[in-house]
Amino acid sequence: MDNISNTEELDRKLGDKVLWLKLNRPQALNSLTLSLVHGLMQAIADAQNDPDVRVIVLTGEGRAFCAGADLKDPARSRPESGAEFVKAIGELTELIEASTKPVIAAINGIAVAGGLELVLACDIVIAAESARIGDAHSNYALFPGAGATVRLPRKVGLNNAKLLMFTGDMHPAAEWKALGLVNLVVADDGFIDSVVTLANKLAVKSPLVLARMKQALNDALDQPIATGLRYERALSNLHHFSADRVEGLAAFKEKRAPQFTGR
């Protein structure tokens, strides 16, 4: 795995077409500063235009995935800093959701508040068994600004979202799996290997078909069924002309592994 760019707050590594973005503020439970949010935005924007990146993994260093905004960040001392931060983290979650590359949230530990909002924007969520996840905004009379009120009910249902947000309690990863937010819960000692296996499995798929699937799936819940079906058929007809589809069918007939280019 090659180290492509590191800052003090964010570790970026690329290997086997998987970009690992690791929040690197373990002493502060990987809480988010404005500079870290901007670093994540730049990394994801860069990945969009890099054909060597097929999958993005977002995780944290130490015992936390992300504990939300760093309320002790000196940059938040200005009166306008709160709105500036909310705008930035909102744009970050929208970038993650809109990325044509699959984004995996690898929850290694505590994920609360803004950390939960990062998770909600990701496509697939894998969590260590010991991870604890919650919203926590209500514990300090804070209001979410990075999509929790919109995305959480879509993931776990309206009543569950209200209970989780109103109480601010943290719950083990297994409970979040039962609610539908977490896809996989794995033992701590096998966590990284499981994330690598999942990321590598996605990295050899056609990036074009995954991007089109993600686009259609993200749009599906916000439109009538008939409209969604017409959209799916239109994308399917367009996809018939792709080189990746031709390669996939050829590989099937020739009984070999396909080599997709994303075209």
Side-chain angles (χ1 to χ4, degrees):
M1 183 176 291
D2 297 326
N3 189 319
I4 62 170
S5 178
N6 288 332
T7 66
E8 183 177 340
E9 297 183 318
L10 179 64
D11 182 58
R12 297 195 291 175
K13 292 181 180 178
L14 176 63
D16 297 326
K17 299 189 182 300
V18 178
L19 175 65
W20 289 74
L21 299 178
K22 181 184 286 187
L23 308 185
N24 191 31
R25 304 186 70 233
Q27 75 288 353
L29 299 182
N30 298 319
S31 54
L32 298 168
T33 62
L34 189 58
S35 60
L36 177 52
V37 171
H38 285 157
L40 284 165
M41 291 173 66
Q42 187 61 58
I44 292 168
D46 290 345
Q48 281 296 103
N49 300 313
D50 188 346
D52 288 332
V53 176
R54 296 283 182 90
V55 179
I56 301 169
V57 174
L58 182 61
T59 191
E61 177 65 38
R63 66 187 185 93
F65 172 79
C66 176
D70 186 350
L71 302 180
K72 298 179 181 178
D73 183 9
R76 295 178 65 89
S77 61
R78 296 176 293 109
E80 67 274 18
S81 62
E84 185 180 0
F85 180 84
V86 167
K87 181 176 183 292
I89 191 173
E91 290 174 349
L92 170 60
T93 57
E94 289 169 15
L95 268 178
I96 292 171
E97 198 166 55
S99 171
T100 58
K101 316 291 174 83
V103 183
I104 299 172
I107 308 179
N108 55 297
I110 297 167
V112 295
L116 172 62
E117 290 180 299
L118 290 180
V119 171
L120 288 169
C122 293
D123 302 303
I124 297 175
V125 181
I126 180 169
E129 194 171 31
S130 64
R132 295 184 63 81
I133 308 165
D135 180 64
H137 282 101
S138 68
N139 296 339
Y140 304 99
L142 301 175
F143 191 86
T149 63
V150 177
R151 297 187 179 101
L152 187 59
R154 283 169 165 78
K155 300 278 188 175
V156 304
L158 179 59
N159 280 12
N160 286 327
K162 287 178 179 178
L163 179 63
L164 293 163
M165 295 189 74
F166 291 176
T167 63
D169 292 341
M170 288 199 299
H171 299 271
E175 292 187 19
W176 286 90
K177 183 177 186 298
L179 290 173
L181 174 66
V182 173
N183 298 101
L184 301 168
V185 178
V186 297
D188 289 20
D189 58 3
F191 176 65
I192 293 299
D193 288 343
S194 296
V195 177
V196 169
T197 298
L198 175 60
N200 288 345
K201 180 179 289 189
L202 299 186
V204 298
K205 306 291 186 184
S206 161
L208 180 63
V209 80
L210 292 187
R212 285 174 170 166
M213 285 178 174
K214 177 173 177 174
Q215 180 183 0
L217 287 165
N218 280 353
D219 291 345
L221 295 180
D222 295 320
Q223 56 189 337
I225 291 176
T227 303
L229 291 173
R230 284 195 297 271
Y231 182 48
E232 180 184 84
R233 283 193 292 271
L235 276 179
S236 181
N237 290 337
L238 177 64
H239 194 71
H240 273 73
F241 297 94
S242 70
D244 275 2
R245 181 179 182 276
V246 172
E247 167 62 11
L249 292 174
F252 174 78
K253 292 176 183 177
E254 296 165 15
K255 298 182 179 180
R256 59 172 175 83
Q259 300 296 318
F260 296 119
T261 61
R263 297 194 297 271

